[in-house]
Every structure is written in C-alpha cells, then in structure tokens.
C-alpha cells in the first residue's frame, strides 16, 4: 500500500488561506488583466492529497473559479495536479512535476498548448508563475505572475 511520503509532506507548505494580486497576459480565452485572487488549500485523504479552491476576480468584475487536487503518483513519486475551472476545460491528464529548490514545478500539456507552473511557498508569501507555449508557438512566454499573502493556516 502507498504511504504518505516526502512529496506529500512538501505539499503541506501550501496549506492555508491566501490572497493577492495577479498580472495576466492576453490569451485566446481572455484579455490581459490585473486580478485579485484567493486560494484556500486544505489537506485531504489522510495526507494523500491537498485540495485548493481558487477565486480570481478581474478588474471588470468577471470571475474564474477553480478546484484543484494535488497528489503524488505512487509509482513515480511525481506530484500530480488535477485542475477544474469555470472556463470548462476538463483535465485530460494532470499536470506533472516535482519540487526543486523549494519550488513546485509542474508541466501541463493540452491540445491548446503547454503550460509550465512554478509555485513557490516562502513562509507566508506564495508566488505562482505560469509560462505558456500555445498552438504552434516555438517559445514559452509569461502568462501569469502572482503574489499571495497567507491570512490563515489550516
């Protein structure tokens, strides 16, 4: 049977309630914007998962909601991230990655392109950066730069 290991324990650094600001580049599904966001991370399944509920509010008042599940692949040790959001793109497969120097680096591939997420918890500050390569683009470009402050721990 799988056991809770170091990769599961590393996810505990995300647990708590966070809020902050985001700078988003234009994408085919939304214009460039500044947004505020809240992220609430909770341990689940006896430590085998961390759940995140996310609310992003753009300057124009529009919102994007997300529900994410972080867990660990017992056969590879990779951290997996299954993301569901109010844009309606269901995950065909999870983002996959690992922790490097205190940063969770995840890569997600979809029919729309590739996204690289870097999530870095440092005490009560959390940064999330996303670079994307969309469609037939050759290079990655910045998509999101976010900084959140923790307001509560679980």
């Amino acid at each position: 049977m799988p056991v809770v290991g170091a990769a599961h324990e590393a996810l505990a650094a995300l647990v708590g309630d966070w809020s902050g600001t985001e700078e988003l580049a234009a994408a085919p599904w939304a214009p460039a914007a500044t947004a505020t966001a809240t992220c609430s991370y909770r341990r689940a399944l006896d430590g085998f998962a961390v759940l995140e509920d996310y609310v992003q509010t753009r300057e124009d008042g529009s919102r994007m909601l997300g529900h994410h599940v972080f867990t660990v692949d017992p056969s590879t040790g990779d951290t997996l991230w299954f993301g569901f959001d109010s844009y309606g793109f269901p995950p065909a497969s999870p983002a996959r990655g690992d922790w490097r120097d205190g940063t969770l680096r995840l890569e997600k591939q979809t029919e729309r392109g590739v996204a690289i997420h870097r999530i870095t918890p440092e005490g009560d500050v959390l940064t999330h950066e996303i670079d994307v390569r969309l469609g037939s683009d050759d290079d990655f470009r910045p998509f999101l730069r976010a900084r959140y402050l923790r307001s509560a721990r679980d």
Side-chain angles (χ1 to χ4, degrees):
M1 291 295 295
V3 296
V4 172
H8 297 98
E9 292 300 330
L11 291 169
L14 302 174
V15 171
D17 296 327
W18 306 82
S19 61
T21 58
E22 302 177 338
E23 296 296 328
L24 296 114
W29 54 88
T34 298
T36 59
T38 60
C39 317
S40 295
Y41 293 88
R42 303 285 178 258
R43 281 185 180 244
L45 305 174
D46 289 335
F48 281 99
V50 168
L51 307 179
E52 177 196 13
D53 285 307
Y54 170 83
V55 178
Q56 175 195 84
T57 305
R58 291 180 177 237
E59 293 171 311
D60 66 3
S62 63
R63 294 187 332 156
M64 197 268 286
L65 308 175
H67 183 74
H68 307 118
V69 179
F70 295 82
T71 191
V72 177
D73 184 334
S75 63
T76 65
D78 289 348
T79 298
L80 305 178
W81 180 30
F82 295 87
F84 302 87
D85 62 46
S86 57
Y87 285 157
F89 298 118
S93 61
R96 183 176 285 269
D98 59 11
W99 290 89
R100 299 177 192 173
D101 299 321
T103 296
L104 177 57
R105 184 185 180 281
L106 299 159
E107 181 173 311
K108 182 173 182 166
Q109 298 186 18
T110 71
E111 62 188 33
R112 293 171 305 285
V114 180
I116 305 277
H117 293 256
R118 291 178 305 280
I119 303 170
T120 307
E122 292 182 294
D124 287 335
V125 176
L126 178 70
T127 58
H128 188 164
E129 298 177 332
I130 305 172
D131 293 336
V132 295
R133 188 178 66 217
L134 300 176
S136 61
D137 290 351
D138 290 329
D139 298 316
F140 282 90
R141 61 182 175 87
F143 173 69
L144 176 131
R145 297 297 184 258
R147 184 175 187 273
Y148 313 103
L149 300 176
R150 186 179 351 229
S151 59
R153 293 182 186 268
D154 188 31

